[in-house]
Amino acid sequence: MSELALIFDKLEIDTSDVLEAAATKWNFLNFKPGLVGGHCIGVDPYYPAHKAELLGYHPEVILSGRRVNDYMSTFIARKVVKLMLAKNIAVKNSRALILGITFKENCPDIRNTKCIDIYHELKQYGINVDVFDPWAKPQEVEEAFQFSLIDDVFQHTY
């Protein structure tokens, strides 16, 4: 689904509109594009891929899917910057807020989160990035990523 979202973006078609239209079909499976993180999704495809390669087979589909999913963080950050430029918002020294650092909803686990990739990509553009996540444990975020979560989004202006 993420790869389709990349193609739709190139075509200047809203992915949400495509999904809404597709949902009218009786057998539609409601997958959505996005960040794919977490241990099982982020790492486990490498286990069968490694074993297959040991046996002399290069699993193209499994590894290709992983490459697409790994690229989504960069795509999202670049899309944000392009939208800012289109709206004449100065990118350098601007402020951005990431809502959520955990890899799935209602779970405090930050291992293998792809949100950190968006954070770093935006920082490379000179954007001041804050992160808010009521589920994440602040000390774990500081130890893992060397920044502090904000504890109140209403104390800041974006």
Side-chain angles (χ1 to χ4, degrees), residues 100-110 113 115 133 135-136:
I101 192 78
T102 58
F103 79 89
K104 69 179 186 179
E105 63 183 299
N106 305 330
C107 174
D109 195 352
I110 60 170
T113 180
C115 295
D133 191 326
W135 284 94

Side-chain angles (χ1 to χ4, degrees), residues 76-128:
I76 290 167
R78 289 180 181 172
K79 188 75 174 171
V80 166
V81 170
K82 287 179 183 178
L83 289 169
M84 290 173 70
L85 293 171
K87 294 179 179 284
N88 293 318
I89 298 171
V91 174
K92 190 169 175 107
N93 296 319
S94 63
R95 297 191 67 190
L97 173 65
I98 294 177
L99 295 171
I101 192 78
T102 58
F103 79 89
K104 69 179 186 179
E105 63 183 299
N106 305 330
C107 174
D109 195 352
I110 60 170
R111 294 173 299 163
N112 298 313
T113 180
K114 300 305 281 176
C115 295
I116 193 63
D117 298 338
I118 295 173
Y119 174 88
H120 288 301
E121 188 79 21
L122 292 174
K123 295 288 279 182
Q124 287 181 355
Y125 284 100
I127 298 173
N128 299 306

Side-chain angles (χ1 to χ4, degrees), residues 3-152:
E3 189 165 36
L4 288 174
L6 296 173
I7 295 167
F8 297 150
D9 184 69
K10 295 271 186 207
L11 293 168
E12 298 182 4
I13 297 172
D14 187 317
T15 302
S16 298
D17 291 344
V18 174
L19 292 174
E20 185 179 328
T24 64
K25 192 172 180 209
W26 71 271
N27 62 346
F28 173 70
L29 297 174
N30 193 17
F31 295 112
K32 296 205 179 348
L35 300 176
V36 179
H39 178 73
C40 58
I41 295 171
V43 177
D44 288 352
Y46 292 118
Y47 297 135
H50 175 71
K51 185 63 175 176
E53 288 173 349
L54 288 175
L55 298 171
Y57 179 77
H58 183 73
E60 295 178 35
V61 173
I62 293 170
L63 296 177
S64 175
R66 188 66 257 160
R67 281 190 301 274
V68 169
N69 288 333
D70 286 344
Y71 174 70
M72 289 306 291
S73 302
T74 300
F75 170 76
I76 290 167
R78 289 180 181 172
K79 188 75 174 171
V80 166
V81 170
K82 287 179 183 178
L83 289 169
M84 290 173 70
L85 293 171
K87 294 179 179 284
N88 293 318
I89 298 171
V91 174
K92 190 169 175 107
N93 296 319
S94 63
R95 297 191 67 190
L97 173 65
I98 294 177
L99 295 171
I101 192 78
T102 58
F103 79 89
K104 69 179 186 179
E105 63 183 299
N106 305 330
C107 174
D109 195 352
I110 60 170
R111 294 173 299 163
N112 298 313
T113 180
K114 300 305 281 176
C115 295
I116 193 63
D117 298 338
I118 295 173
Y119 174 88
H120 288 301
E121 188 79 21
L122 292 174
K123 295 288 279 182
Q124 287 181 355
Y125 284 100
I127 298 173
N128 299 306
V129 183
D130 289 324
V131 180
F132 174 79
D133 191 326
W135 284 94
K137 295 177 182 155
Q139 184 176 346
E140 285 183 19
V141 170
E142 286 182 42
E143 289 173 9
F145 306 126
Q146 290 74 52
F147 68 81
S148 297
L149 294 172
I150 63 168
D151 57 5
D152 186 352

